[in-house]
Amino acid sequence: MLRLGAAATAALALTLTTPAGPAGAAADPAPDIPVSNVTAHLSQLQSIATSNGGNRASGRPGFNASLNYIKGKLDAAGFTTRVQSFSGGSNLIADWPGGPANQTVMLGAHLDSVAAGPGINDNGSGSAALLENALTLAARKPTLTKHVRFGWWGAEEAGMVGSRYYVQNGGASGVEVYLNFDMIASTNAGYFVYDDDATLQRTFSDYFATIGLQTEGDREGDGRSDHASFKSAGVRVGGLATGAGAVKSSAQAAKWGGTAGAAFDRCYHSACDSYPSAINTTALDRNSDAIAYAIWKLAVGGTPAENDYSISVTPSSASVQAGQSATAAVSTQVTSGQAQSIALSAGNVPSGVTVSFNPSTIQAGQSSTVTVATTSGAAAGTYTIGLNGDGATADHSASFTLTVGGDGQGTTWTAYKAYAAGDVVTYQGSSYRCLQAHTSLPGWEPPNVPALWGRA
């Protein structure tokens, strides 16, 4: 995401309809995007950055290698690709054959990083999720009612140069909708949907409602990413984000989990924006599936999969002392169609806590025992842990609230929390005063970092 804001002019009012598909044809269900495939792309982008000076900035070797990696995957899958060069970088454009060429749904993400780091969340996350969605489209080969085009932009971090160049050189012609994905896996994730167009916003919000998540309109990214280039040309725009340098509120933490008072992305525009530490896999999985939902909704006319299930946890909360554990039952039920295999995992797990499932893979309609264990060093506090089901055709999650009462020694220091100079905490019975403002990380316990903490 671009650091500095940019004004975007009002978009022209256009009408978008969701086609029903050929008469009598069964709707092709939106696919579940394997998050492991998306993270494999991120691992490759990290390797590229590591081998090229630690970044993938536009016009530099790391960016060029990233573009070639994605282009190679798309070419092999049957896309028609072209590289559009401009002063300071290049764009990669990929068209999937099919659908009316003058009625295009376009999806994009900027591929460049800042010079300070590898840019794995900003914006390897959007680029990788877009790539895997494109490859899934190619593998599924659905009947298209709209043409589908993908774009990976250069020089977004320099002021949306690549997308603006594309639009100014006729790229927006025939594009009815542009969807943008910039930073969709922030570690302290929020679930933000661009609110530039109410219909497109509702498309994404409807998807997140199926997995029990409420969204908010994106404010932080207004005018700061590549959708602004299309909006200025009168194209209807939408998209997703999980937050950048803004701070998560208490209400947002209660709704989504994570840490209130801390940045959504603590490594925004920094060297630590690297794989895997800078990626929230749960958020990446959900947003990747949301992209697929939008493609199928807008260009294929499909609906969520007929095979579906619900997931719940009983009890939904527990209170323990540090060093203790709690168990609960994760239950699933078939809500439509046939039973499907579900892989269970946990998200938003705080430092000092582990979550395990027995068994870890079940069929819809079955249950699993989840064990939430804490170490003696787990920080006191209340945490919302996501218990996630990754099904063959649908993903759902349930929330488990864990309250840790402390380690018996009065620890109040918490990882992933923003501390200001002068703040006083207790760690294993000793009081410490914050010397420099910072956001705490695991391993930065007060006794370990005298540069940040002194005895109070």
Side-chain angles (χ1 to χ4, degrees):
M1 179 185 291
L2 179 69
R3 183 184 300 274
L4 299 176
T9 60
L12 298 176
L14 300 176
T15 300
L16 176 69
T17 58
T18 301
D28 188 10
D32 178 29
I33 303 299
V35 71
S36 59
N37 291 359
V38 185
T39 56
H41 299 316
L42 288 177
S43 179
Q44 185 63 33
L45 293 178
Q46 176 64 54
S47 296
I48 288 171
T50 301
S51 300
N52 290 278
N55 68 74
R56 299 180 305 101
S58 189
R60 298 189 183 184
F63 177 87
N64 297 334
S66 299
L67 187 149
N68 289 335
Y69 168 74
I70 292 176
K71 185 177 186 299
K73 294 284 188 182
L74 296 169
D75 288 341
F79 278 85
T80 300
T81 65
R82 65 185 180 95
V83 177
Q84 180 187 49
S85 298
F86 57 89
S87 178
S90 52
N91 299 321
L92 174 63
I93 310 299
D95 285 271
W96 181 248
N102 63 338
Q103 299 176 38
T104 297
V105 172
M106 187 170 188
L107 304 91
H110 76 85
L111 185 56
D112 61 319
S113 74
V114 294
I120 293 303
N121 184 40
D122 184 14
N123 182 37
S125 61
S127 294
L130 210 60
L131 172 58
E132 191 56 32
N133 266 277
L135 297 179
T136 299
L137 180 71
R140 292 281 291 266
K141 296 181 173 64
T143 299
L144 295 178
T145 54
K146 302 285 184 181
H147 183 69
V148 179
R149 180 180 300 153
F150 298 87
W152 286 264
W153 311 115
E156 188 270 356
E157 299 291 2
M160 288 111 50
V161 177
S163 59
R164 188 169 64 249
Y165 182 86
Y166 177 79
V167 169
Q168 289 176 346
N169 286 273
S173 177
V175 176
E176 294 184 346
V177 168
Y178 173 76
L179 304 178
N180 196 65
F181 307 98
D182 190 352
M183 301 181 67
I184 60 169
S186 305
T187 50
N188 194 26
Y191 291 90
F192 297 103
V193 179
Y194 293 8
D195 56 4
D196 303 80
D197 180 275
T199 300
L200 297 176
Q201 182 182 15
R202 187 164 55 251
T203 296
F204 287 115
S205 295
D206 285 349
Y207 169 76
F208 283 106
T210 69
I211 58 173
L213 280 175
Q214 293 181 323
T215 62
E216 291 185 7
D218 183 44
R219 295 288 186 273
E220 189 179 12
D222 278 353
R224 294 174 57 185
S225 195
D226 295 294
H227 61 293
S229 300
F230 286 83
K231 185 175 180 178
S232 67
V235 177
R236 299 179 67 181
V237 298
L240 300 173
T242 52
V247 172
K248 178 178 280 187
S249 70
S250 297
Q252 290 169 329
K255 179 165 55 177
W256 296 322
T259 304
F264 291 102
D265 183 354
R266 59 183 175 80
C267 289
Y268 177 53
H269 281 186
S270 301
C272 64
D273 186 7
S274 60
Y275 182 79
S277 60
I279 292 296
N280 181 328
T281 306
T282 298
L284 182 66
D285 189 12
R286 291 167 170 170
N287 282 300
S288 297
D289 290 343
I291 295 171
Y293 179 93
I295 295 172
W296 258 247
K297 185 75 172 177
L298 299 176
V300 181
T303 59
E306 293 182 2
N307 294 339
D308 207 353
Y309 64 94
S310 62
I311 187 169
S312 60
V313 56
T314 307
S316 60
S317 63
S319 297
V320 299
Q321 295 297 310
Q324 296 179 339
S325 61
T327 60
V330 177
S331 302
T332 61
Q333 183 175 354
V334 177
T335 57
S336 63
Q338 303 297 313
Q340 59 188 283
S341 177
I342 303 170
L344 299 172
S345 63
N348 294 323
V349 180
S351 178
V353 177
T354 58
V355 179
S356 59
F357 298 88
N358 185 23
S360 59
T361 300
I362 59 177
Q363 288 290 114
Q366 297 178 340
S367 299
S368 175
T369 299
V370 57
T371 300
V372 183
T374 65
T375 65
S376 60
T382 299
Y383 308 96
T384 301
I385 298 172
L387 305 180
N388 308 317
D390 186 355
T393 61
D395 294 347
H396 295 290
S397 63
S399 296
F400 182 81
T401 302
L402 176 69
T403 300
V404 181
D407 56 6
Q409 302 180 68
T411 294
T412 60
W413 176 89
T414 303
Y416 301 115
K417 180 176 179 180
Y419 288 101
D423 287 349
V424 175
V425 300
T426 302
Y427 186 81
Q428 296 186 346
S430 298
S431 295
Y432 295 85
R433 187 180 306 279
C434 179
L435 304 179
Q436 298 182 49
H438 67 283
T439 297
S440 59
L441 297 174
W444 289 17
E445 291 83 353
N448 298 340
V449 282
L452 298 178
W453 296 98
R455 287 293 186 100

